[in-house]
Amino acid sequence: NITVLDSINTSSSTKSGGNIFVNAIGGALLTQQQAIPLPPQIDFNSDGFGPGNKAGNITLMSKSGLFLNGKITANGTGGAHGGVIVLRTSSNVDVCDCGPGGVTATALGGGNGGSVSISGKSLALNGLTPVFASVDVSSDQAAAGAVYVSSSDSVNTMVVGCNTCNGFAGKVLADGITGGRINLATASGFELRPGFVVSANGTTGAGGVAQILGVPGQTLNAQIDGTLNATNGALSSGVVGFNSYMEGGVNITGTTGSVSAGQTVALGNLDPATGLPINPLVFPASSNFQFGSIKANVGGNLIGNMISVGRLPPALPTESTATTRIAPPVLSFVAPSLLPNTTIIPIDQTPES
């Protein structure tokens, strides 16, 4: 094991921050002794300052878990860009910050937001309230950055808004003039609790992409009682995706939540790189939607500008059927039972007025 006993600070008030790299190849990376009820806060800070500069990168890796008590920040101010933060382990990730801070790669004064990548089995980014962000890559005057989080815990649901769950105690944000990207990959479903936010919004620029990714071939269950957004000021762009890949279903529930996207809420077989559906069908916005194994009911709150459903890709012709057009397989989908007057249109067209 590697135990860090004091904060590591490579930040600069005049130029780019320095990089931080710690790798516990054979054990765990610790900043706390778990037998101590209130361990001291130990931070990792690589902030940078000034136009053309950036925050340093922070990479914390281990074989047997990350157990960290403090803030992890790679923020840019005065026009500097945010840095890159990577937290990676094959075991659990536990980051406890009992005040504002969290894991952030933000930018203030003209720089772009950085990126945060977290992967492990069970995740616990806790100690925060809805006022603060557990993860933030926002920019106040430029483009937001990207958040990539992956949990391989197949038992405990990934939750935004819980101090003791697999997930985040605070918000997950990628907001900017141009919205950023949020990918939350879960092996056991997703829950967004009341009062909490996952947001990839733009203002005068394009909206971003906020995507919940499940396990290929399985139903992605998501309970949305908070706010899940990816839009912009003109309500014209931004994608929220629930990605169950090929042959997987989607089941979205909730009573107090809202899901909104400037372009589309995409469900089913999506391109992980864009959040957009593969071989799509498009439907009007609805708060109570069903198309085969794709279901969404969030208690009467509007879902999206429109809903697009990704299906299996079209089958390719073989030598024996080269002259015959083969219809794409459709996962045993049935007509939308809750939208009897729906007109199905290609995703790259709009209805004639």
Side-chain angles (χ1 to χ4, degrees):
N1 296 339
I2 295 177
T3 301
V4 180
L5 300 178
D6 202 357
S7 295
I8 299 177
N9 187 347
T10 61
S11 65
S12 173
S13 60
T14 59
K15 57 184 180 180
S16 295
N19 296 332
I20 300 172
F21 182 91
V22 184
N23 186 3
I25 297 174
L29 176 59
L30 311 157
T31 60
Q32 61 186 41
Q33 299 297 322
Q34 292 178 310
I36 302 175
L38 294 173
Q41 179 161 318
I42 294 176
D43 301 329
F44 295 85
N45 181 357
S46 65
D47 298 351
F49 180 87
N53 295 323
K54 65 181 291 292
N57 300 332
I58 301 175
T59 303
L60 306 177
M61 303 171 62
S62 79
K63 176 184 178 181
S64 303
L66 300 173
F67 302 97
L68 312 175
N69 188 69
K71 296 178 287 188
I72 303 172
T73 59
N75 301 325
T77 57
H81 304 301
V84 175
I85 298 175
V86 176
L87 308 179
R88 183 176 302 160
T89 179
S90 56
S91 186
N92 297 336
V93 178
D94 187 343
V95 180
C96 179
D97 178 26
C98 298
V103 182
T104 63
T106 60
L108 298 175
N112 296 326
S115 68
V116 172
S117 176
I118 304 173
S119 61
K121 185 179 179 181
S122 182
L123 312 177
L125 283 80
N126 55 31
L128 299 171
T129 71
V131 176
F132 304 118
S134 286
V135 180
D136 193 352
V137 294
S138 300
S139 172
D140 66 336
Q141 298 181 30
V147 176
Y148 300 97
V149 176
S150 176
S151 168
S152 62
D153 189 332
S154 60
V155 176
N156 299 297
T157 298
M158 179 184 288
V159 181
V160 176
C162 178
N163 253 322
T164 58
C165 302
N166 171 32
F168 313 86
K171 305 173 185 176
V172 181
L173 302 178
D175 296 332
I177 300 298
T178 300
R181 181 179 188 85
I182 298 173
N183 273 17
L184 303 180
T186 170
S188 53
F190 178 78
E191 180 183 354
L192 179 56
R193 293 193 171 176
F196 291 85
V197 176
V198 175
S199 175
N201 290 335
T203 53
T204 56
V209 177
Q211 186 177 189
I212 313 300
L213 302 97
V215 177
Q218 298 182 14
T219 295
L220 171 58
N221 293 300
Q223 181 172 335
I224 308 298
D225 288 313
T227 301
L228 177 56
N229 287 336
T231 186
N232 64 346
L235 303 179
S236 61
S237 66
V239 175
V240 171
F242 293 86
N243 194 346
S244 58
Y245 301 93
M246 291 194 299
E247 300 184 358
V250 174
N251 183 33
I252 305 172
T253 59
T255 56
T256 62
S258 64
V259 178
S260 59
Q263 178 182 349
T264 186
V265 173
L267 311 172
N269 187 25
L270 312 182
D271 180 349
T274 64
L276 291 172
I278 297 170
N279 190 25
L281 297 175
V282 176
F283 306 91
S286 172
S287 60
N288 196 347
F289 174 85
Q290 181 172 353
F291 183 72
S293 61
I294 309 296
K295 303 175 184 179
N297 185 337
V298 291
N301 294 290
L302 181 67
I303 293 183
N305 224 351
M306 63 179 179
I307 296 174
S308 53
V309 174
R311 304 170 293 165
L312 285 172
L316 297 175
T318 63
E319 289 185 6
S320 61
T321 60
T323 60
T324 304
R325 182 177 177 83
I326 299 177
V330 186
L331 297 184
S332 302
F333 286 153
V334 296
S337 60
L338 301 175
L339 297 172
N341 298 318
T342 292
T343 300
I344 299 175
I345 59 176
I347 194 170
D348 58 352
Q349 297 181 17
T350 54
E352 294 183 2
S353 56

